[in-house]
Amino acid sequence: MYRIKRLWLEKDPKAYKDWSLLLRESKIDVNEKLDYSAGIYQGDRLIATGSYQRNILKCLSVAEEFQSENLLTQLVIHLLERLREENQTHYFLYTKPSNQAIFQSLGFHEIVKTDQILFMEQGLPTFEDYLEYLSRKKKGGSASGIVMNANPFTKGHQYLVERAAQESPLVYVFVLSEDRSEFSTNDRLEMVKRGVAHLKNVEVLLTGDYLISSATFPTYFLKDRTEAKKASQQAELDALLFKEKIAPALAIQRRFVGDEPYSEVTEIYNETMQKIFGEELTLSILPRIAVEGEIVSATKVRAAYQQNNQELLSRLLPATTYDYLKEQIQSRGEEEWKSSKKLSLGQ
């Protein structure tokens, strides 16, 4: 009666039209980035669909008159089988809170939920494993937190950490684990560690999949082509996860961020954190610093690399970052570094 098959959304106009209509009926955004999509058909009619991007299940929808037919379970089982074939063992899921019981029966566990979004996972490592990692890194009493991409680590980042270290007994700096930036996770982590080494009350951590990641906040990485409403919903989930789960694990009572004159998504994130944190968690928004009249931003630094603007780089980067980049060129070879980063730095 029903058959399931792969949907080639970019190649099959009719499949895309039917898929879009089904998602819109469920009020699901059709502009998601997807790696694989499948559909369940009754005859020639598409009555259910589901997709994934990387290890994140998305765009799950069943036509209203078929929602008692257990089609959602069939779709999820199919998608998980595909992911296992790709050697994925850890899965995330965005869904409506009303679907919680269905996905719990399929082995998913709640991480956090808002009024509109339920965020769940299945497989290893788990969110509890991440909390255990944080517990091993915990140093003492009350603390402040900073989350940064550091792509790369600039004088602006350094100023933010130094201010937090002056005003807090202990500071945890979370560096994004997501490898979707010009600089690799290892490079960004090392630049941050070197840039804060002079601050004895600062501990550098990784975010894992649980802070500003493709799972919790995918629009963060699509700042030039995202919708404010979607960014706000994802920012709410990310901020709530930090407030309710991560901050308590490290006794974080305050979070420091820089203001954002350039990115609408980051500005939305700051505004959302203020709303979500309320009186339970203090949000301190510091103005961006300027060096010789030049506001410091990682975007400007990356542009300066592309232009090989040594004078501007020396003004916007701390010596630790500048020296680290030169070391990488010397150790990896200039051509390899430039081709992998699409950047350049004079010898």
Side-chain angles (χ1 to χ4, degrees):
M1 184 179 181
Y2 303 130
R3 59 190 176 91
I4 187 168
K5 70 174 187 177
R6 181 168 185 175
L7 301 179
W8 298 93
L9 300 176
E10 295 182 355
K11 301 178 180 179
D12 186 338
K14 183 179 186 307
Y16 179 80
K17 180 180 178 181
D18 294 343
W19 174 84
S20 300
L21 179 61
L22 184 57
L23 290 190
R24 290 192 173 100
E25 288 175 352
S26 299
K27 298 181 180 179
I28 297 174
D29 186 10
V30 300
N31 296 312
E32 293 281 355
K33 181 176 174 59
L34 305 171
D35 296 328
Y36 177 87
S37 298
I40 295 179
Y41 284 82
Q42 183 188 54
D44 292 331
R45 182 186 175 189
L46 179 67
I47 59 174
T49 186
S51 306
Y52 62 75
Q53 190 254 328
R54 300 177 66 165
N55 63 336
I56 306 161
L57 273 61
K58 299 180 177 181
C59 300
L60 295 156
S61 178
V62 179
E64 185 175 0
E65 61 266 43
F66 294 92
Q67 290 181 1
S68 62
E69 297 293 316
N70 207 32
L71 301 182
L72 189 59
T73 298
Q74 294 180 44
L75 273 171
V76 171
I77 291 172
H78 172 79
L79 295 173
L80 293 183
E81 288 176 348
R82 288 279 312 193
L83 284 167
R84 292 187 191 104
E85 290 174 4
E86 297 174 7
N87 296 317
Q88 293 281 4
T89 61
H90 190 200
Y91 324 111
F92 293 101
L93 167 71
Y94 273 115
T95 189
K96 298 175 182 178
S98 59
N99 291 330
Q100 184 165 6
I102 295 173
F103 289 105
Q104 282 179 333
S105 70
L106 292 169
F108 283 86
H109 303 280
E110 176 187 333
I111 298 175
V112 69
K113 65 180 173 182
T114 67
D115 292 339
Q116 297 177 325
I117 300 173
L118 171 64
F119 180 45
M120 307 183 81
E121 72 175 345
Q122 181 186 141
L124 298 172
T126 67
F127 181 55
E128 294 303 318
D129 293 326
Y130 182 67
L131 292 179
E132 175 61 26
Y133 158 74
L134 296 183
S135 71
R136 295 194 303 269
K137 296 292 185 178
K138 187 176 181 181
K139 295 297 183 181
S142 64
S144 293
I146 299 172
V147 182
M148 62 175 62
N149 196 14
N151 183 40
F153 185 77
T154 68
K155 286 183 177 179
H157 294 112
Q158 191 174 61
Y159 167 75
L160 186 65
V161 181
E162 288 175 342
R163 276 287 302 273
Q166 290 171 6
E167 300 179 21
S168 312
L170 179 62
V171 180
Y172 295 103
V173 177
F174 296 85
V175 180
L176 269 59
S177 300
E178 192 86 12
D179 238 335
R180 293 180 63 181
S181 302
E182 283 81 354
F183 293 93
S184 72
T185 301
N186 289 337
D187 285 330
R188 291 183 290 103
L189 183 64
E190 184 61 27
M191 284 187 276
V192 174
K193 286 181 175 179
R194 293 190 184 195
V196 304
H198 61 293
L199 303 169
K200 302 309 178 185
N201 62 335
V202 174
E203 179 77 11
V204 180
L205 308 172
L206 284 168
T207 60
D209 291 310
Y210 303 103
L211 280 173
I212 313 183
S213 69
S214 290
T216 63
F217 200 169
T219 55
Y220 179 87
F221 301 95
L222 304 170
K223 295 178 182 179
D224 59 336
R225 49 190 173 92
T226 191
E227 297 177 8
K229 181 180 178 181
K230 184 191 295 187
S232 180
Q233 290 176 344
Q234 294 174 3
E236 183 177 350
L237 185 141
D238 191 274
L240 191 65
L241 182 57
F242 183 84
K243 173 188 173 182
E244 292 190 348
K245 304 292 179 70
I246 292 173
L250 295 171
I252 293 173
Q253 299 179 353
R254 187 177 180 185
R255 181 158 162 182
F256 284 81
V257 299
D259 68 356
E260 186 46 69
Y262 301 117
S263 168
E264 181 185 11
V265 171
T266 307
E267 184 179 7
I268 288 171
Y269 189 32
N270 287 352
E271 293 172 352
T272 302
M273 280 190 286
Q274 281 189 311
K275 179 184 72 173
I276 296 297
F277 290 176
E279 297 181 357
E280 294 93 338
L281 193 62
T282 301
L283 182 69
S284 296
I285 303 177
L286 304 185
R288 294 273 182 140
I289 65 165
V291 177
E292 298 179 18
E294 187 85 33
I295 293 179
V296 179
S297 77
T299 302
K300 288 184 178 181
V301 168
R302 292 192 297 272
Y305 271 115
Q306 293 167 350
Q307 299 160 9
N308 202 22
N309 188 336
Q310 299 297 303
E311 190 274 332
L312 183 56
L313 292 173
S314 66
R315 286 194 281 123
L316 301 184
L317 291 176
T320 52
T321 297
Y322 191 85
D323 292 343
Y324 176 79
L325 297 180
K326 295 198 75 169
E327 287 174 16
Q328 298 312 302
I329 290 175
Q330 293 166 1
S331 64
R332 302 185 194 183
E334 184 170 8
E335 290 305 317
E336 176 188 344
W337 180 258
K338 288 167 67 175
S339 64
S340 66
K341 297 290 176 280
K342 299 180 182 179
L343 304 173
S344 62
L345 188 65
Q347 295 283 354

